[in-house]
Amino acid sequence: MDSGTNGTAPASGGGSRGAAIIEITDLRKAYGATVAVDGISLRVDRGEVFGVLGPNGAGKTTTVECAVGLRRPDGGTVRVLGMDPAADPERVRRRVGIQLQQAVLPQRMTVREAMAVFASAYRGVVDPAALLDEWGLREHRRTAFGKLSGGQRQRLFIALALLGDPEVVVLDELTTGLDPAARRDTWSLVRGLRTRGVTVVLVTHAMDEAEMLCDRLVVIDRGRIVAEGAPDAVRGEHRSLETAYLALTGTEVA
């Protein structure tokens, strides 16, 4: 795929690297006899969109949940903005916005009420009204969550993740279940995060999404990194991996 199609291409991953925002070394996490993460090491630099790609059950979500303090790793080290999220999860979460794959809100809660509830969790917040304007939700501020479309819900979750003015935003399977038009709209929103200087960690199982949005990525399978680099380099250097990956996910390539 031509990364310049349908929007702004990702920045090149081949230039000079910025300061590390997230550093993970030899991360390990198991659930009983099931090893979810088996020695993962990666680095996310300031200002980039970093992809964590892989099939369902590969260990992607567990990796990022350990990175933001939602799960405690069994081994290895994690540093986010210089902090240990296992030791000080609340301090990390004040500087990291999170949109998780299974995020839901009460069906009757309105957009405006959701913004007010989430804003109460932060010491200082971005103007909620300005965020609703920016993400195209102002006219839906009195709409109940249960009546929002899939794309509107995703925009709301991004707005909620940005309320605390985070330096890093984690987006987990952001476009799952969306129709093609809503996916493209959501991709535009992610590009807008880079424009405002936010570092993005994008968790996805979709190769086209990673190619369109990410500066760099890692491919995780069975809890291990099996490829990493700029999307075009990963695609070019790991053709056999790509074929196997597409077969696992059922992705079709035009």
Side-chain angles (χ1 to χ4, degrees):
M1 177 185 293
D2 181 354
S3 60
T5 303
N6 297 327
T8 305
S12 170
S16 59
R17 300 176 69 176
I21 291 290
I22 299 173
E23 291 184 288
I24 296 174
T25 304
D26 199 25
L27 180 67
R28 298 178 183 275
K29 179 66 179 178
Y31 303 101
T34 301
V35 178
V37 180
D38 188 12
I40 283 178
S41 298
L42 60 83
R43 164 181 167 140
V44 179
D45 293 330
R46 183 177 296 277
E48 70 177 342
V49 178
F50 185 89
V52 181
L53 182 70
N56 292 334
K60 308 184 303 295
T61 296
T62 297
T63 297
V64 297
E65 287 181 347
C66 289
V68 298
L70 294 176
R71 294 190 186 275
R72 182 176 291 272
D74 297 327
T77 60
V78 179
R79 293 294 180 270
V80 178
L81 297 162
M83 299 177 286
D84 180 353
D88 200 353
E90 292 305 319
R91 189 174 169 213
V92 169
R93 287 176 212 160
R94 286 198 293 268
R95 298 173 67 182
V96 177
I98 307 168
Q99 174 271 324
L100 295 177
Q101 181 179 1
Q102 303 299 328
V104 293
L105 295 173
Q107 295 293 295
R108 295 184 180 181
M109 178 178 282
T110 66
V111 168
R112 183 169 58 183
E113 289 169 345
M115 295 292 281
V117 168
F118 276 68
S120 68
Y122 298 102
R123 295 177 181 174
V125 298
V126 177
D127 179 13
L131 276 176
L132 292 181
D133 281 338
E134 181 176 357
W135 299 100
L137 291 167
R138 183 178 180 83
E139 65 184 65
H140 302 290
R141 63 190 182 280
R142 295 185 177 89
T143 302
F145 178 78
K147 294 185 177 181
L148 296 175
S149 69
Q152 289 164 350
R153 291 183 183 192
Q154 297 299 53
R155 278 184 273 160
L156 173 59
F157 286 131
I158 294 176
L160 293 173
L162 292 173
L163 263 175
D165 196 21
E167 296 169 62
V168 188
V169 173
V170 176
L171 305 175
D172 189 1
E173 300 289 4
L174 185 63
T175 62
T176 297
L178 299 186
D179 61 47
R183 287 186 81 212
R184 289 191 294 270
D185 289 344
T186 304
W187 288 350
S188 295
L189 301 180
V190 175
R191 294 189 191 99
L193 295 178
R194 180 200 280 119
T195 301
R196 62 188 290 164
V198 178
T199 302
V200 178
V201 177
L202 180 69
V203 182
T204 180
H205 68 272
M207 181 75 79
D208 62 336
E209 184 163 276
E211 245 190 334
M212 182 66 70
L213 296 174
C214 297
D215 302 303
R216 294 187 302 118
L217 60 84
V218 293
V219 180
I220 297 178
D221 188 28
R222 299 178 184 178
R224 295 186 177 186
I225 291 176
V226 294
E228 59 184 308
D232 56 348
V234 170
R235 178 182 284 273
E237 295 175 10
H238 298 273
R239 289 291 181 181
S240 60
L241 167 67
E242 179 187 359
T243 300
Y245 173 76
L246 295 177
L248 282 171
T249 59
T251 304
E252 295 182 3
V253 179

